[in-house]
Amino acid sequence: MGNRMLIIGLVWPEPTSSAAGWRMLELIECFLQEGMEVHFASAASLSEFSHPLADIGVTQHQILLNDSSFDTWISALQPDMVLFDRFMVEEQYGWRVAEQCPNAIRILDTEDLHFVRHARQAAYKRKVKFEPDQLYSDMAKRELAAIYRSDCSLIISQAEMDILLQQFNVPPSILAYLPFRMVRKGNTSVLPGFGERQHFMFIGNFIHEPNWKTVQVLKEIWPDIRKVLPAAELHIYGAYPTEKVWQLDNAKQGFRIKGRAVDAVETMKDYRVLLAPIPFGAGLKGKFIDALHAQTPSVCTAVAAEGLTGGIHWPGFIADDLTDFIEKAQLLYSDEECWNNAVKYGQEMLKSGPDPDWGKNLMARIAAIRADLNQHRNHNFIGQILNSNQFLATKYMSQWIELKNKKAHM
């Protein structure tokens, strides 16, 4: 049984920039702990914030998009397992992997269900209530096709598992529930208490549309929060702030744009409250795991908290109505007893996490698939249909682009 794992990344992981970055790093560390030989390949460019994967024993490869050089390369590498980072990567490379390495297990890491996030975003922009029927979109067809074509898809949220299983009738045999890891290495020192903290904060990668929209909502409601708390400020952190983000910085109003946080937990631990009126999204929000470790209570929307509560009281408040949100923010910031209770709820939530055997279910699922790959794929016959040539539009589009690129350089 081989143990060579190839991960094809949409981007190089940046754990200090986004939850998706440290989610990918968690997966890599899980595979390394299992004694796997891990390779990471991407057509994206490395940045100064890309994690030094070579330092942890991962072999890095730069690959090309829509280019048959990938076929030659992966045929020589012959991985035993291939993990696609988001469904777009499976569309681009999945058919090439299937042709060159037919016996390699193909795993899709969805990150979050993009079609769910986009449907909620569309409803928000149209100012209509989101309904489950709005999930039946072209993006849903693409993402579900990628899930069916894969041997196993990693789903981060129980709410998303429910959508796939109940609304779309996806077979549970091709899904694996794998939420964020709650336990992390790091500082275990005593954290500042209520009286040692000040100000509100928000954190989120500005490239991610739900985060940018959240900042706009915060800009709208901040004057009302500050009317009652005139000494408080709201500090906004996030990777890749653009000029339009920096233009929101206003010292007089106490609405400050801070840019990238080098260490989210270290940054959070000095703030009294995290504000996150996230209007749409999917999956899990890594900022709340960071907040639990920093013991920073939060006020957020229901969609922001989705998949994290698990029947446990939220460490702060969940409020979708903006008037209610403003009142809860003021209460949590000013009432020490309320704040201490929220911290206690957060500690209970951390203890309820899926550790210490976080990756055990995934490794058991992979082992079961490997034990009889043919039978597993036969049970997912829709996947075989979607992998057959007449349904591989992405394959022929890629080949057309490659041919077009070659002609352009002749």
Side-chain angles (χ1 to χ4, degrees):
M1 184 185 293
N3 68 343
R4 181 173 293 165
M5 167 67 76
L6 168 63
I7 300 170
I8 306 178
L10 181 67
V11 294
W12 296 92
E14 296 184 15
T16 63
S17 299
S18 68
W22 56 254
R23 156 74 166 187
M24 179 55 72
L25 205 59
E26 284 181 342
L27 287 171
I28 290 171
E29 289 173 347
C30 173
F31 299 140
L32 289 171
Q33 287 167 8
E34 291 295 318
M36 292 184 178
E37 174 191 327
V38 181
H39 296 254
F40 193 100
S42 180
S45 300
L46 286 157
S47 81
E48 61 179 306
F49 304 108
S50 300
H51 193 79
L53 296 177
D55 291 356
I56 58 173
V58 176
T59 306
Q60 299 181 181
H61 306 270
Q62 195 76 44
I63 54 176
L64 296 175
L65 186 60
N66 299 314
D67 195 288
S68 55
S69 62
F70 176 86
D71 302 348
T72 306
W73 173 76
I74 196 171
S75 181
L77 183 68
Q78 281 299 312
D80 302 289
M81 295 150 285
V82 178
L83 184 142
F84 304 103
D85 171 24
R86 288 164 262 210
F87 82 91
M88 301 82 81
V89 171
E90 190 282 336
E91 286 182 332
Q92 292 157 348
Y93 295 100
W95 63 271
R96 294 184 184 273
V97 172
E99 285 186 354
Q100 303 301 322
C101 309
N103 295 321
I105 295 172
R106 300 188 298 274
I107 303 166
L108 172 61
D109 183 27
T110 57
E111 292 289 353
D112 63 35
L113 289 179
H114 292 64
F115 76 89
V116 175
R117 172 158 45 89
H118 280 260
R120 289 171 172 171
Q121 181 175 337
Y124 178 81
K125 286 185 174 179
R126 294 201 314 271
K127 297 181 179 178
V128 299
K129 183 183 176 186
F130 171 75
E131 299 290 350
D133 283 353
Q134 295 164 16
L135 292 175
Y136 298 100
S137 64
D138 286 341
M139 182 171 283
K141 294 172 188 174
R142 288 175 58 195
E143 193 160 14
L144 284 162
I147 288 172
Y148 272 104
R149 284 192 298 263
S150 303
D151 296 312
C152 182
S153 290
L154 311 184
I155 311 300
I156 202 167
S157 157
Q158 185 59 54
E160 293 184 344
M161 284 290 286
D162 293 342
I163 288 170
L164 292 174
L165 293 170
Q166 297 169 17
Q167 188 168 347
F168 289 92
N169 299 309
V170 176
S173 60
I174 60 172
L175 303 176
Y177 173 51
L178 197 73
F180 283 136
R181 191 171 192 174
M182 301 290 266
V183 172
R184 292 197 202 158
K185 306 166 191 170
N187 189 358
T188 55
S189 59
V190 177
L191 293 161
F194 178 86
E196 301 167 275
R197 300 177 183 229
Q198 62 176 349
H199 303 322
F200 295 91
M201 65 94 66
F202 173 74
I203 187 168
N205 185 329
F206 292 109
I207 296 173
H208 194 51
E209 184 65 20
N211 288 331
W212 166 236
K213 182 54 68 175
T214 299
V215 173
Q216 293 174 291
V217 175
L218 286 168
K219 184 69 175 176
E220 176 190 339
I221 67 175
W222 176 242
D224 290 322
I225 295 175
R226 209 176 190 224
K227 278 179 190 174
V228 176
L229 303 164
E233 295 182 358
L234 172 56
H235 295 180
I236 309 288
Y237 291 87
Y240 300 108
T242 58
E243 186 57 35
K244 69 180 180 181
V245 176
W246 287 114
Q247 286 174 358
L248 295 178
D249 184 60
N250 190 316
K252 186 177 178 182
Q253 295 176 358
F255 192 93
R256 307 311 310 268
I257 305 298
K258 294 289 188 175
R260 179 183 292 270
V262 176
D263 184 309
V265 176
E266 278 298 304
T267 300
M268 278 187 177
K269 69 181 178 61
D270 293 317
Y271 287 92
R272 195 173 289 175
V273 175
L274 166 66
L275 294 181
I278 299 171
F280 53 82
L284 300 181
K285 313 298 179 290
K287 56 182 67 62
F288 297 116
I289 310 294
D290 290 328
L292 293 177
H293 285 274
Q295 293 184 11
T296 302
S298 59
V299 184
C300 70
T301 54
V303 74
E306 183 179 79
L308 280 171
T309 52
I312 293 172
H313 197 293
W314 187 255
F317 295 104
I318 296 172
D320 284 324
D321 177 78
L322 288 183
T323 301
D324 187 30
F325 190 99
I326 291 164
E327 291 173 356
K328 292 297 193 295
Q330 293 163 342
L331 174 63
L332 188 58
Y333 190 87
S334 56
D335 188 317
E336 185 170 359
E337 183 181 358
C338 177
W339 189 90
N340 284 328
N341 283 335
V343 170
K344 183 182 70 175
Y345 293 138
Q347 291 171 325
E348 291 173 2
M349 187 175 282
L350 269 182
K351 291 174 185 173
S352 73
D355 293 287
D357 301 320
W358 179 77
K360 186 176 284 187
N361 289 343
L362 172 61
M363 303 318 299
R365 176 64 62 83
I366 291 173
I369 292 170
R370 294 176 80 167
D372 198 339
L373 185 58
N374 286 336
Q375 184 181 26
H376 178 79
R377 288 177 176 171
N378 286 340
H379 284 168
N380 175 28
F381 200 70
I382 291 175
Q384 291 197 34
I385 294 171
L386 293 173
N387 269 309
S388 59
N389 279 334
Q390 62 264 44
F391 291 100
L392 281 179
T394 51
K395 170 182 176 178
Y396 299 110
M397 175 61 75
S398 179
Q399 289 177 334
W400 177 81
I401 292 170
E402 181 179 5
L403 184 61
K404 187 169 178 256
N405 289 342
K406 283 179 180 175
K407 285 183 177 179
H409 289 94
M410 285 175 68

